[in-house]
Amino acid sequence: MAPKRSSTSRAADESRQPVYSEAAMRNNAAVLEYSRTCQAAAAGIASGILGLTSLPGFVFYFATLLIQAIVWEAKSGFKWNNYFLDRSSSVTHSLVSGLFTYRAMPKKVAYYYDGDCGNYYYGQGHPMKPHRIRMTHNLLLNYGLYRKMEVYRPIPASFEEMTKYHSDEYMLFLKNIRPDNMSESSKQMARFNVGEDCPVFDGVYEFCQLSCGGSLAAACKLNQKQADITINWMGGLHHAKKSEASGFCYANDIVLAILELLKHHQRVLYVDIDIHHGDGVEEAFYTTDRVMTCSFHKYGEYFPGTGDLKDVGADKGRYYSLNFPLRDGIDDESYERIFVPVMQRVMESYQPGAVVLQCGADSLTGDRLGCFNLTLRGHGRCVEFLKKFGVPLMLLGGGGYTIRNVSRCWTYETAVALDTDIANELPYNDYFEYFGPDFKLHISPASMINQNTREYLEKTQIRIFEHLRELPAAPGVQMQPIGDEGIFQPDKTLLEDHADPDKRLPSVVKDKLVEHPGEFYDGGKEGEKDAQSHKRTADEADNEAKKSKVESEEMEA
Amino acid sequence: MATTGTTNPQTAKNMYRVGDYVYIETSNDAPYAIRRIEELVKNANNSVEARVTCFYRRRDIEKMLLKVADTAERKFEEYYDREEKKDEVKPTTNGETEKGVKKEEIEKSEEIPQNGSSSKTDELEEKKVDEGKAKEDKEENDGVEELRREWGNAGLPLGADKLNGTQRHLFRQRELFLSRHQETVSCNWIRGRCMVTLLNEVEDLDCYQKDDCFFYSLVYDAANLTLLADKGTIRVGNKYQAEIPENVKEEEEDENKENGDALVIDEEAQEDAQEEAQEATSQDGAHRKMALTERERIIFHPKHSLTDQEIDQFLIIARAVGTFSRALDTNSSTRFPTLHMVAAAASRDVTLFHALALLHQAKYDLGQAVRYLCPPCNKDTYPFEAEKATGLHTTSLGGPILCRDQLEEWSTAESNLFEEALEKYGKDFHDMRNDYLPWKSVRDLVEYYYMWKTTNRYQESKKQKTQDQESKLKQVYIPAYSKPNQNLQSNSTTGVPIKGPKACESCQKEESLQWFKWGPQSASLFICQDCQGIWKKLASINQPHQHDIYDMKEPEREVAAKTALANADKSGASRVQPLNRGGSGLVIASVPSNHPALQASRATAEAGGSLNAQIAAATAAQISMLRGAASNEGALNLTTSGSSAADPKGAGKNRIGFTMVTNVLGKLARKLVSKEVLNLRRSARRPFKDLKSNEIRDSVIRTEPARLYQAANTIRAMTPQQFVTVYQSFMGITGAAKRPATDPVGAPAAKRAA
């Protein structure tokens, strides 16, 4: 610290006209701030170790704050007016931001899960198994992570919500297709790419509703600032296109979630560590600068074939799509060596308001479809790194076809999000036998050749940095008041199911329950109206038939 | 032969795993084929076979395709230029995909490579200079055009333009073409490991100029004779992009957003508010109202005053209640003979999930939660919300709560039915439900199935499955190949280099440890040991040479084709297996749709079964030729041993205006067979009438070899030796058994005739 008055001001001092050295003032303020930040961080750590949370934690913080103020006083030789304009500044200075440093230590985590999602079955021999989500859930319970976070069951997404991105006809098709009527609509199935990789299975639409509902809820949660990290392992289906299914994905919950986040954030960053390229999300936001998509994936003779280094976006979105093509067998160390600097640079230059991380677990070693060589640590490191920035973060599932490793991975990443260490011994759970023969959490890498040479990775990284340099300083949009935001349009039928039986139904739902005027009654209502109502029935039936005909014609067109 | 993971460096070198790229020796003359191992299968007689994906060398590809591919604008910088240019001209035309645009441009460049933009002309000039150099290099050779098998720098990594003609030629040999074609080969043919990578724009020449290093950038489609860029495109247009909401909610102020402070302040304010709320309510132990959005239903949260230990205690009580309730439940008490099993059943995760949900409903009041565990028979005393939240259906009021999952719900009879059904239908739960367990839902079946997998009964059935899978290997040990090559001319036994019969054709060296024959026999050329290695791996000697593809020329080529095909046939069903994403690529080069070779190769693709595209094309060309000329039925048997299933309709469909060259035996058949058996004019007028193929063949077989040879000589001058090879192979296939004397007699007869 420097005395606030410079030597030249002494004379002025004598004439009782205080003159301050501006440089010294500023320096002192800076010193105070650094010191306060250090104190807050140290106090945060200390209170974390001592287990002081909520009220005792605050008391502890203020206690350390006072101690520090006293230390400052001592340092200034108890002549505060030599250094500060105001005595109280030693206590109050950057109290708020210090409190933030202090507060930022524990993260609030919201976790989304629906007990039904494990029971959807893609079909015999299909590698995608929603059951892995339930396995993760059970592991979380038995590791005791369940009770450390807020656990939510999301409301399923409605048709209207899903058509915020997807085309109406595609969603209508998904809604109506069932295994027993699919032979009638083979033409449409071909058009929407449903059939081979993306089979029609029982409840495919509901499955989409669940995964989208989870991600939308997670996005809302972040928007309302009710959580720092939200997790939805049911989501992350990144291949689905606007009106096309692709790569086991039907409805793109990620795009819907990002659209929701965009209502509150100017810029959203999407990061994809699935082994497959996140083509659905990249395509959805290819021409906008409000979403930056980054994908680290295997490229070359691999599904979906997109994601070349050269694909950087188009129009306004040019250089807002980042693709890091990788080759077979990348290991933890190499992955971290590229992920950390690239994401560091992206976070700095893009400054997103929220981050969505797709944690596809098919980039783990030994995956049924993958060919990377990552372990849980390397995979989880990405979560850890992105969490560090303190930006609202959404973790989503994705690929992963060796289900025991998928549930291991997502359990570990939940623990990372919660800042909790978990034992390597797996706790007993309903699906314990799946994790044999070692019953350990962590997996070891395979002995395969890492075809990503250091040279290749470095050169690619340099090229990516060149692209990032093209980015202007964080882009924004004009602030304008907008009307009713986030109009909640729950699915009417499912809402009914989810409604509290003890409470009066909301009028939206109740209106739906009003019986059709053309309904036949057994009760005493039959009478003079009867003839009329019959007539109306006929008319309405006619109308409806016409309407559906028109609709189907439109579909054909 | 197959061993498991010892990591001795020597054995590691000879250990081949799935996913490795390997050299495969198909013939003594030919260079190695490059393949990637997809699957290793041990078959009945204990030999190991590999299912491999083919990578084609340049020599295996149609010349005109290469020409287009080499001159196509595939250089990386130009991609950028072009994209920018395109942006100027048509700023992302809606609906039209980028794919379409690119394709169009490449087709254009295919047609008129001369009228490109300025940058292109620069490149062209450069190319011409290169060509000129190359010409100088090879001036002494007459057939310059014949020699040239590369046309430009396209498809080469950065820095390729620095190479001179010969260097570039050698480097070009490292370029491969991926195919979607897979075949099965014996592992004994593996001769070493190599590395194939996708050509990458950031790496320069040196990265690829290592030993055993190859690269590819295009996919060769043997069926359509096209080269595709293995690249999908992100489509641009209203049909593909999401509509981005224009505005951000106002409450977040700009400056706050910029420095990321918005969160801090809001959060803190919120936190304070929550803190106050908690303070206000924590005294009476009621749980604090959680902030909820409309999109969710809360099941559990950690903001309560209970310690971990207290929760654990509560969970134990829940399990205890579960155990007791099972004792009361007649169904369960008969199922579980011992108390241990009851306790285990009561400790399943479903009980714990439910207990935690109840705890939440009790507002984290342990006393209330325990009361919920054994509710009296009154609807108001139990929070049904808990069931809504977890999706469990466990309610039985008036007594201890009983939570059961599917594993427990199912009776023994039901699980027996399930196992029976599983055996019959596999995992088709729909059929299983319809035929066996109609009172269960498909979801129940799925849930039960996954739980059933943890039981002993599954372990037993799995044992059989793993036995089946044992035939699939992860890796295979193949000892270094030591048998001498048949082309070995002389070998130094003393370890001292010996002088070859001639200077090495490739490096002009005089002395080497081993000397190999190289090139067609008539030329009698030799190469040294080192150059043999290069030749086998890179399919080229040190400079472009007129005999570069000698092993693929007649008649040796035909023989090679035959043996290869026979081998492919023997080694089981090799098949064309398209990868998941066919057709998403971008066509770089293709032949006109009426090109004969294209149709021919299509026919073979249908027949499914060829070792490489050249052979395939050759084979199938003869099939279609057969239809075209409606003559040499005999030739069919000579050449299509591997593809007898060829669909003649497919080959004959569009045979408008192209000429075909009939092979010798085909021509012979025309000359020798009597009019009654084969009347060319007659059959030409009746294109759909079948030829009497057997009769034609028989009459050829019955003909004197000497007469055959004479006739053959009038068609094409050939040495008796050559003729004998062709003839013998023909006889070998058409069932020489009919006339066993043919082979020994044939050769001398031919000689006599000569």
Side-chain angles (χ1 to χ4, degrees):
Chain A
M1 278 193 227
K4 85 181 172 198
R5 279 169 238 189
S6 63
S7 51
T8 50
S9 67
R10 277 216 179 106
D13 198 17
E14 277 157 24
S15 63
R16 301 217 162 258
Q17 284 236 315
V19 176
Y20 305 114
S21 150
E22 198 212 330
M25 293 283 298
R26 218 185 286 154
N27 175 52
N28 288 353
V31 168
L32 268 194
E33 189 169 334
Y34 292 146
S35 161
R36 177 72 75 207
T37 310
C38 288
Q39 172 262 332
I45 292 163
S47 71
I49 293 165
L50 295 173
L52 300 171
T53 52
S54 59
L55 194 66
F58 275 89
V59 172
F60 183 79
Y61 173 71
F62 286 107
T64 54
L65 190 116
L66 284 174
I67 293 167
Q68 191 193 29
I70 293 162
V71 171
W72 280 344
E73 287 280 311
K75 168 82 178 145
S76 61
F78 299 100
K79 288 180 190 150
W80 60 269
N81 45 2
N82 270 358
Y83 296 93
F84 307 111
L85 289 174
D86 183 2
R87 178 162 217 164
S88 63
S89 70
S90 63
V91 180
T92 56
H93 186 84
S94 53
L95 181 132
V96 173
S97 65
L99 196 61
F100 168 62
T101 315
Y102 180 73
R103 241 288 300 159
M105 303 307 282
K107 296 271 182 196
K108 253 170 91 177
V109 177
Y111 166 82
Y112 291 85
Y113 175 78
D114 192 302
D116 281 343
C117 75
N119 289 338
Y120 293 94
Y121 192 75
Y122 270 63
Q124 188 162 11
H126 199 284
M128 181 61 126
K129 295 185 173 76
H131 174 62
R132 65 214 172 112
I133 302 156
R134 184 165 50 200
M135 285 171 68
T136 311
H137 190 67
N138 285 29
L139 265 186
L140 290 177
L141 171 79
N142 289 294
Y143 259 124
L145 296 171
Y146 186 92
R147 59 179 85 160
K148 289 203 169 75
M149 55 195 179
E150 293 164 23
V151 181
Y152 296 97
R153 185 183 187 192
I155 307 287
S158 66
F159 184 85
E160 288 75 22
E161 284 166 326
M162 291 202 276
T163 49
K164 286 266 165 64
Y165 171 55
H166 292 289
S167 68
D168 289 9
E169 37 189 355
Y170 173 51
M171 276 297 129
L172 210 61
F173 163 79
L174 268 191
K175 197 173 176 178
N176 294 324
I177 194 89
R178 285 191 316 276
D180 48 328
N181 70 1
M182 64 189 226
S183 50
E184 296 151 29
S185 46
S186 54
K187 209 169 160 187
Q188 281 201 318
M189 279 172 61
R191 182 170 151 215
F192 296 125
N193 191 24
V194 171
E196 228 171 285
D197 270 358
C198 308
V200 177
F201 61 87
D202 252 341
V204 53
Y205 182 68
E206 291 154 51
F207 180 71
C208 295
Q209 283 185 299
L210 290 186
S211 69
C212 292
S215 298
L216 280 172
C220 283
K221 199 77 179 167
L222 291 182
N223 277 349
Q224 310 285 328
K225 299 189 188 67
Q226 288 166 2
D228 304 310
I229 300 177
T230 51
I231 301 174
N232 175 28
W233 298 130
M234 299 186 288
L237 302 173
H238 61 165
H239 291 307
K241 309 288 175 357
K242 196 164 186 174
S243 35
E244 201 179 294
S246 168
F248 319 154
C249 307
Y250 302 87
N252 201 320
D253 62 292
I254 309 175
V255 173
L256 297 177
I258 292 178
L259 286 176
E260 187 67 35
L261 286 172
L262 284 176
K263 289 176 183 167
H264 283 250
H265 300 279
Q266 281 194 329
R267 294 173 302 279
V268 175
L269 174 68
Y270 168 72
V271 185
D272 191 319
I273 55 171
D274 196 283
I275 193 172
H276 298 100
H277 177 230
D279 58 336
V281 185
E282 183 172 304
E283 186 167 287
F285 301 112
Y286 206 58
T287 55
T288 180
D289 56 359
R290 289 195 55 204
V291 179
M292 178 153 187
T293 58
C294 304
S295 182
F296 296 78
H297 52 267
K298 151 95 177 149
Y299 180 69
E301 189 214 331
Y302 205 69
F303 187 87
T306 48
D308 195 0
L309 186 57
K310 290 189 291 278
D311 296 341
V312 292
D315 288 0
K316 253 173 91 184
R318 195 163 169 78
Y319 298 113
Y320 289 97
S321 293
L322 185 156
N323 289 304
F324 203 122
L326 297 166
R327 293 172 178 164
D328 288 12
I330 191 163
D331 53 22
D332 287 354
E333 191 211 353
S334 314
Y335 205 83
E336 184 174 346
R337 210 165 52 222
I338 54 162
F339 186 85
V340 166
V342 169
M343 290 325 295
Q344 180 79 40
R345 190 72 77 87
V346 167
M347 290 300 282
E348 277 165 14
S349 49
Y350 192 63
Q351 297 191 359
V355 178
V356 178
L357 174 63
Q358 198 265 18
C359 306
D362 43 7
S363 41
L364 290 177
T365 179
D367 190 80
R368 182 168 158 191
L369 300 184
C371 53
F372 282 178
N373 200 11
L374 296 181
T375 70
L376 301 193
R377 291 205 170 80
H379 204 265
R381 180 80 182 91
C382 303
V383 179
E384 209 178 322
F385 183 74
L386 287 176
K387 182 176 131 237
K388 216 181 61 188
F389 289 95
V391 178
L393 175 65
M394 188 191 303
L395 300 181
L396 299 174
Y401 308 99
T402 301
I403 54 173
R404 54 178 186 281
N405 289 349
V406 177
S407 44
R408 279 176 167 129
C409 176
W410 290 346
T411 304
Y412 176 70
E413 275 159 13
T414 311
V416 167
L418 285 163
D419 277 319
T420 314
D421 286 328
I422 51 176
N424 196 21
E425 291 293 329
L426 287 173
Y428 191 79
N429 64 83
D430 278 359
Y431 304 105
F432 191 62
E433 285 77 8
Y434 281 67
F435 300 98
D438 60 340
F439 305 105
K440 295 277 195 297
L441 175 70
H442 285 285
I443 52 176
S444 40
S447 63
M448 65 194 289
I449 306 163
N450 182 0
Q451 294 183 12
N452 301 275
T453 55
R454 188 177 268 263
E455 196 182 10
Y456 166 73
L457 294 176
E458 274 166 12
K459 286 187 166 159
T460 311
Q461 191 178 315
I462 290 169
R463 181 65 63 88
I464 279 177
F465 282 172
E466 278 166 20
H467 290 167
L468 285 176
R469 222 167 291 140
E470 304 284 336
L471 288 183
V477 288
Q478 195 67 40
M479 284 297 165
Q480 270 168 28
I482 55 170
D484 279 340
E485 161 274 335
I487 307 153
F488 180 52
Q489 300 161 312
D491 189 293
K492 303 292 179 341
T493 52
L494 276 157
L495 194 68
E496 218 175 284
D497 293 346
H498 279 248
D500 188 342
D502 297 340
K503 282 186 192 149
R504 205 176 281 261
L505 287 170
S507 57
V508 206
V509 182
K510 233 167 39 187
D511 291 348
K512 270 282 191 177
L513 297 178
V514 172
E515 263 174 294
H516 193 273
E519 193 75 62
F520 292 103
Y521 281 100
D522 290 316
K525 284 191 179 175
E526 287 174 46
E528 72 260 46
K529 278 186 183 171
D530 219 353
Q532 269 185 349
S533 67
H534 275 303
K535 203 172 164 189
R536 193 153 34 154
T537 321
D539 281 348
E540 264 169 19
D542 215 341
N543 281 342
E544 231 152 67
K546 268 182 204 160
K547 208 170 150 194
S548 63
K549 207 171 156 192
V550 169
E551 259 173 22
S552 64
E553 269 166 15
E554 276 171 6
M555 302 275 277
E556 291 294 317
Chain B
M1 179 190 250
T3 59
T4 42
T6 43
T7 47
N8 177 339
Q10 192 54 44
T11 53
K13 215 182 119 196
N14 291 323
M15 193 70 82
Y16 297 93
R17 290 192 187 82
V18 172
D20 280 353
Y21 298 90
V22 290
Y23 292 119
I24 301 266
E25 179 147 35
T26 49
S27 117
N28 282 320
D29 292 326
Y32 297 132
I34 292 170
R35 302 286 185 262
R36 188 183 57 214
I37 303 175
E38 298 294 335
E39 194 179 66
L40 291 165
V41 184
K42 198 180 197 171
N43 55 14
N45 50 9
N46 244 6
S47 66
V48 182
E49 285 181 345
R51 192 161 58 79
V52 293
T53 302
C54 300
F55 284 86
Y56 293 132
R57 292 180 186 270
R58 290 176 66 83
R59 62 210 318 265
D60 304 325
I61 310 275
E62 271 288 304
K63 212 166 156 183
M64 63 179 292
L65 282 182
L66 289 181
K67 190 169 179 177
V68 175
D70 284 356
T71 44
E73 313 270 312
R74 285 196 289 145
K75 275 176 72 188
F76 299 113
E77 294 89 340
E78 283 166 25
Y79 260 113
Y80 287 103
D81 292 350
R82 170 131 26 98
E83 264 169 45
E84 265 149 32
K85 215 165 50 192
K86 197 167 63 194
D87 282 352
E88 283 163 30
V89 179
K90 31 181 158 179
T92 51
T93 42
N94 291 350
E96 190 177 14
T97 61
E98 249 184 274
K99 188 173 155 186
V101 177
K102 269 187 191 163
K103 197 168 167 181
E104 195 181 278
E105 278 177 60
I106 277 163
E107 276 165 7
K108 237 184 269 160
S109 68
E110 185 183 323
E111 285 161 20
I112 28 169
Q114 251 67 31
N115 69 347
S117 60
S118 60
S119 70
K120 215 155 125 194
T121 35
D122 285 351
E123 211 235 334
L124 274 174
E125 272 164 20
E126 197 181 272
K127 207 172 71 196
K128 273 177 195 156
V129 173
D130 275 359
E131 277 171 26
K133 253 189 240 160
K135 268 181 192 167
E136 279 162 36
D137 287 345
K138 311 166 214 155
E139 231 167 21
E140 60 277 334
N141 295 320
D142 288 345
V144 173
E145 266 313 301
E146 178 68 20
L147 273 186
R148 237 161 51 89
R149 270 177 285 276
E150 41 141 4
W151 291 267
N153 279 339
L156 292 181
L158 293 181
D161 26 339
K162 285 181 217 134
L163 298 176
N164 67 29
T166 312
Q167 280 171 334
R168 198 174 63 184
H169 167 82
L170 271 182
F171 193 72
R172 266 287 185 206
Q173 303 309 318
R174 295 177 185 272
E175 186 181 15
L176 300 180
F177 297 90
L178 170 70
S179 75
R180 305 246 155 91
H181 179 78
Q182 296 195 336
E183 61 189 24
T184 309
V185 297
S186 163
C187 282
N188 294 328
W189 298 356
I190 294 177
R191 293 288 179 273
R193 184 182 278 121
C194 55
M195 179 62 95
V196 182
T197 48
L198 180 69
L199 178 72
N200 192 286
E201 70 216 68
V202 296
E203 289 183 317
D204 57 23
L205 218 54
D206 301 334
C207 301
Y208 297 100
Q209 230 160 6
K210 296 170 197 148
D211 277 352
D212 302 328
C213 209
F214 297 87
F215 62 88
Y216 77 94
S217 55
L218 296 179
V219 180
Y220 178 60
D221 181 352
N224 294 316
L225 281 192
T226 43
L227 290 173
L228 304 161
D230 182 30
K231 186 176 186 303
T233 39
I234 297 288
R235 299 163 297 185
V236 177
N238 286 339
K239 270 159 81 183
Y240 307 109
Q241 265 73 48
E243 286 162 38
I244 314 286
E246 285 297 308
N247 307 306
V248 170
K249 247 205 142 194
E250 200 190 22
E251 66 201 26
E252 283 195 307
E253 277 151 41
D254 226 339
E255 51 188 84
N256 281 339
K257 279 187 73 73
E258 289 311 313
N259 57 24
D261 259 351
L263 267 181
V264 181
I265 290 166
D266 286 5
E267 204 162 25
E268 201 208 338
Q270 201 181 341
E271 186 66 27
D272 285 350
Q274 285 178 357
E275 216 65 45
E276 278 165 26
Q278 194 172 26
E279 265 176 71
T281 53
S282 61
Q283 265 89 16
D284 51 46
H287 92 133
R288 185 165 50 87
K289 183 92 185 134
M290 287 297 296
L292 281 183
T293 66
E294 301 148 300
R295 301 222 44 114
E296 61 208 9
R297 185 184 301 277
I298 189 154
I299 293 175
F300 196 84
H301 66 73
K303 299 281 163 64
H304 50 73
S305 51
L306 299 179
T307 62
D308 255 13
Q309 201 187 0
E310 281 167 327
I311 295 178
D312 285 337
Q313 285 168 329
F314 173 68
L315 290 182
I316 290 172
I317 292 171
R319 286 184 203 134
V321 169
T323 314
F324 180 58
S325 69
R326 277 171 181 77
L328 292 183
D329 183 46
T330 45
N331 231 341
S332 309
S333 52
T334 50
R335 277 194 73 185
F336 301 113
T338 68
L339 186 60
H340 279 104
M341 288 175 73
V342 181
S347 309
R348 288 184 66 83
D349 291 349
V350 65
T351 313
L352 307 183
F353 280 124
H354 195 72
L356 288 176
L358 283 181
L359 186 61
H360 174 76
Q361 291 304 320
K363 305 192 190 324
Y364 301 91
D365 174 5
L366 283 180
Q368 183 61 46
V370 170
R371 273 192 294 269
Y372 282 157
L373 281 178
C374 34
C377 196
N378 181 348
K379 229 180 137 189
D380 300 330
T381 55
Y382 185 77
F384 289 94
E385 182 69 13
E387 307 203 334
K388 278 270 175 235
T390 53
L392 303 171
H393 302 288
T394 48
T395 325
S396 61
L397 292 182
I401 283 269
L402 181 60
C403 304
R404 296 195 301 192
D405 54 27
Q406 289 298 323
L407 194 65
E408 219 183 323
E409 293 270 344
W410 288 45
S411 68
T412 323
E414 281 172 335
S415 47
N416 287 338
L417 265 180
F418 178 82
E419 276 166 36
E420 201 180 305
L422 197 69
E423 202 135 287
K424 186 171 172 199
Y425 289 122
K427 287 177 271 177
D428 191 334
F429 295 117
H430 225 275
D431 284 357
M432 204 187 268
R433 175 177 175 268
N434 288 344
D435 288 6
Y436 279 85
L437 298 153
W439 59 92
K440 300 272 180 197
S441 72
V442 175
R443 301 227 173 122
D444 292 345
L445 286 172
V446 175
E447 188 176 340
Y448 180 75
Y449 167 71
Y450 282 118
M451 290 181 168
W452 173 81
K453 277 180 93 170
T454 63
T455 61
N456 296 335
R457 308 187 70 146
Y458 169 70
Q459 300 297 336
E460 278 163 30
S461 69
K462 202 176 132 193
K463 262 179 207 159
Q464 295 175 341
K465 215 168 130 193
T466 46
Q467 270 167 4
D468 294 345
Q469 273 192 339
E470 254 169 36
S471 64
K472 283 190 182 170
L473 303 172
K474 284 239 172 89
Q475 51 185 12
V476 60
Y477 177 78
I478 294 155
Y481 186 71
S482 54
K483 282 182 203 146
N485 189 310
Q486 280 177 18
N487 282 353
L488 186 66
Q489 173 70 18
S490 51
N491 190 5
S492 156
T493 44
T494 55
V496 181
I498 54 170
K499 197 162 183 300
K502 260 186 185 179
C504 172
E505 187 62 23
S506 164
C507 60
Q508 310 304 327
K509 213 160 66 172
E510 296 281 325
E511 287 188 332
S512 165
L513 281 172
Q514 289 181 326
W515 286 93
F516 295 88
K517 275 181 243 161
W518 187 78
Q521 288 196 331
S522 53
S524 72
L525 301 172
F526 298 93
I527 53 175
C528 68
Q529 192 185 10
D530 297 343
C531 296
Q532 168 78 1
I534 295 174
W535 156 249
K536 283 301 242 184
K537 285 177 173 173
L538 288 185
S540 167
I541 54 171
N542 273 348
Q543 73 259 358
H545 193 282
Q546 56 171 336
H547 294 309
D548 263 352
I549 51 169
Y550 84 93
D551 58 296
M552 301 170 81
K553 284 184 180 156
E554 307 277 346
E556 291 93 328
R557 185 177 137 208
E558 243 173 11
V559 178
K562 204 204 85 194
T563 50
L565 278 172
N567 281 334
D569 218 27
K570 232 185 287 161
S571 63
S574 65
R575 59 214 154 105
V576 180
Q577 195 181 45
L579 300 180
N580 279 354
R581 25 173 260 86
S584 69
L586 143 75
V587 178
I588 290 291
S590 61
V591 293
S593 59
N594 60 354
H595 191 274
L598 173 61
Q599 288 162 4
S601 75
R602 275 201 187 126
T604 354
E606 276 162 39
S610 63
L611 194 73
N612 68 37
Q614 274 293 340
I615 299 164
T619 320
Q622 280 165 355
I623 302 172
S624 53
M625 159 180 69
L626 175 79
R627 290 300 299 183
S631 66
N632 54 348
E633 198 70 11
L636 176 68
N637 286 325
L638 173 65
T639 50
T640 55
S641 63
S643 50
S644 49
D647 178 8
K649 263 186 199 159
K653 223 179 223 166
N654 4 325
R655 50 193 158 86
I656 321 133
F658 64 85
T659 55
M660 292 303 271
V661 185
T662 319
N663 78 348
V664 181
L665 281 171
K667 286 178 183 163
L668 278 181
R670 273 191 220 153
K671 287 209 178 242
L672 297 173
V673 176
S674 61
K675 276 257 161 80
E676 299 91 65
V677 183
L678 172 66
N679 189 332
L680 277 181
R681 278 200 197 147
R682 212 180 143 76
S683 47
R685 265 179 267 123
R686 292 169 180 73
F688 294 106
K689 200 166 173 247
D690 282 338
L691 293 170
K692 298 169 206 150
S693 54
N694 284 336
E695 280 182 47
I696 297 172
R697 194 173 51 212
D698 286 344
S699 65
V700 176
I701 291 169
R702 276 195 297 273
T703 322
E704 274 296 324
R707 222 188 117 204
L708 268 177
Y709 180 63
Q710 270 175 349
N713 245 348
T714 59
I715 299 162
R716 202 177 81 189
M718 52 161 67
T719 65
Q721 215 95 47
Q722 281 171 322
F723 176 71
V724 168
T725 5
V726 176
Y727 183 70
Q728 275 175 355
S729 59
F730 165 59
M731 282 305 171
I733 290 155
T734 52
K738 280 183 190 168
R739 247 189 76 175
T742 313
D743 287 353
V745 176
K751 273 186 191 138
R752 247 184 290 128

